[in-house]
Amino acid sequence: MIAIIADDFSGAAELAGIAATQGFKAEVHTKFAPESDADVIAVDTNTRLLTADEAARITGKVTQRLVRQRPLWIYKKTDSVMRGHVRAEIEAILNVTGQKECLFIPANPSKGRVIVDGRYFIGDTPLDQTLFAHDPHFPRRSSVVGELLGPSKKIRIPNTRAAADLDQKPDACTLPAGAADFFESLLRHEVSKMAVPSSVATSPSGETRALLLCGSLAAWEQGRAEEMRQGGFIVQTLGEDLPPDLWRSTRKLMLAIGRPAQTDGAILTERLIDSALPLIVEDTNLRIGLEGGATAMALIRRIGWTRFEVIPEGHLGVGTLRPRGGPVLCVKPGSYPWPAGCL
């Protein structure tokens, strides 16, 4: 078993989706189930918005449970622009595994996110000059990766200008950590060794209705509403009255927090889930798009799901999951667009 430890649900789903597409049986757990026979298990610790001390404590406990199952290796999934308590969680894992250092590559060259001379860029723009400078929880006010991480003698962050820079295979004494591109590169080494067949991507049936829940301010600021309207979605934001027959007359509906005056993200997310639950109960043949880890986790907690099978559809950056007896969930971070044909 290959284990992934992620600090939010969308990150866990994204990496598990990559594994499933490459032919591995993959699952996402919010509570680690050691009886699973999956090849790849991504565990969401849901620690991004906790304090650093609490995040480290929970991450350490999850690592202890995973280590008892003797995984082939553990990968620490982090946010690509290093939001969350990255250093604290990596060091918590190192304390449990006894590994000497961490090779940390948060860059995603496939999405134009690179590290050059120790500075993080999205395209040609330094990170602190992007929308992430105004993140409500972890504003990125520097592009210097050492400043974003904080002091650590055990974490090594190489320059990553292109996909070729990802082709690194840490030894057993080194914890690999970072974003999706580095994980995918590592997994290709396993595929070549194990001869795992690649899975065939599939597309959603035209008869399936799609409900997109967008709790991500970053997604809204990047024009997600217009993007989805062009794809045939009707868009409703919090504060707008939802016509009682709307869900019966459309096959594609987006519910979003929009750009609200209320700044408490947790309250907004719960209101979004309140609006969505009656629609979800009405329809079992449903694809639900969940944009942002907090949005995904809020829905999952309200319904009580803890374990998810990954469906190998092959949509870049999206994890397609199904809880037992539940609908199809398409989960992705808020800062990337939806791939064509996903919803």
Side-chain angles (χ1 to χ4, degrees):
M1 183 259 291
I2 295 168
I4 301 161
I5 301 174
D7 69 346
D8 85 329
F9 193 84
S10 63
E14 180 183 14
L15 265 58
I18 290 171
T21 299
Q22 294 202 23
F24 294 90
K25 181 179 181 181
E27 292 183 355
V28 175
H29 296 181
T30 58
K31 294 181 179 178
F32 175 53
E35 68 274 12
S36 171
D37 63 351
D39 304 313
V40 176
I41 297 176
V43 181
D44 168 31
T45 59
N46 193 33
T47 49
R48 182 169 298 179
L49 299 183
L50 301 181
T51 65
D53 287 346
E54 188 68 1
R57 184 186 68 79
I58 292 172
T59 301
K61 283 194 170 183
V62 169
T63 306
Q64 289 172 350
R65 297 187 190 111
L66 288 169
V67 165
R68 284 197 285 268
Q69 303 306 309
R70 299 182 179 275
L72 290 174
W73 42 277
I74 294 174
Y75 187 83
K76 175 63 180 96
K77 168 66 171 75
T78 74
D79 178 64
S80 62
V81 295
M82 302 170 63
R83 291 172 297 181
H85 305 293
V86 173
R87 177 169 57 88
E89 294 193 9
I90 288 175
E91 291 178 347
I93 295 172
L94 293 176
N95 288 339
V96 173
T97 63
Q99 291 165 298
K100 293 181 179 179
E101 67 169 0
C102 171
L103 176 59
F104 178 39
I105 303 182
N108 266 339
S110 68
K111 299 178 175 67
R113 301 184 178 195
V114 299
I115 296 173
V116 179
D117 296 329
R119 297 182 68 204
Y120 200 112
F121 292 84
I122 297 181
D124 295 326
T125 306
L127 180 61
D128 57 331
Q129 296 177 30
T130 69
L131 286 173
F132 291 109
H134 309 292
D135 184 86
H137 302 290
F138 298 96
R140 307 289 78 187
R141 293 185 177 131
S142 173
S143 64
V144 178
V145 293
E147 293 178 2
L148 294 169
L149 179 69
S152 178
K153 295 180 179 179
K154 293 186 176 182
I155 303 175
R156 177 164 53 92
I157 311 176
N159 288 319
T160 313
R161 299 177 178 82
D165 297 324
L166 300 166
D167 192 18
Q168 304 189 46
K169 186 66 175 72
D171 60 26
C173 294
T174 302
L175 171 72
D181 281 7
F182 184 32
F183 177 75
E184 186 169 16
S185 176
L186 293 173
L187 210 57
R188 280 197 296 268
H189 290 283
E190 296 296 337
V191 171
S192 64
K193 288 190 298 184
M194 301 167 63
V196 177
S198 294
S199 300
V200 177
T202 60
S203 297
S205 164
E207 297 303 312
T208 301
R209 290 202 293 181
L211 174 64
L212 170 57
L213 304 183
C214 179
S216 167
L217 182 59
W220 187 264
E221 296 291 351
Q222 292 174 11
R224 189 74 76 244
E226 184 57 33
E227 173 192 330
M228 302 317 291
R229 286 191 185 102
Q230 292 177 5
F233 277 76
I234 292 176
V235 177
Q236 293 279 307
T237 59
L238 291 179
E240 295 180 318
D241 291 331
L242 190 65
D245 61 344
L246 178 61
W247 191 220
R248 297 182 180 89
S249 61
T250 183
R251 305 208 69 81
K252 293 186 173 184
L253 176 64
M254 173 181 176
L255 300 179
I257 61 170
R259 190 183 293 107
Q262 163 66 257
T263 57
D264 190 319
I267 292 175
L268 292 170
T269 300
E270 290 303 321
R271 287 179 56 197
L272 186 65
I273 302 306
D274 287 340
S275 299
L277 281 175
L279 309 182
I280 294 170
V281 169
E282 280 187 16
D283 193 349
T284 56
N285 184 30
L286 183 62
R287 268 178 97 84
I288 304 176
L290 296 169
E291 188 143 37
T295 306
M297 199 63 206
L299 176 66
I300 287 161
R301 279 188 162 176
R302 290 280 285 273
I303 296 179
W305 295 319
T306 61
R307 185 171 169 182
F308 306 81
E309 173 194 5
V310 182
I311 302 170
E313 290 189 334
H315 296 298
L316 183 64
V318 178
T320 307
L321 317 175
R322 190 192 296 274
R324 185 171 297 176
V328 173
L329 309 178
C330 302
V331 185
K332 76 165 192 67
S335 58
Y336 302 140
W338 284 96
C342 183
L343 293 175

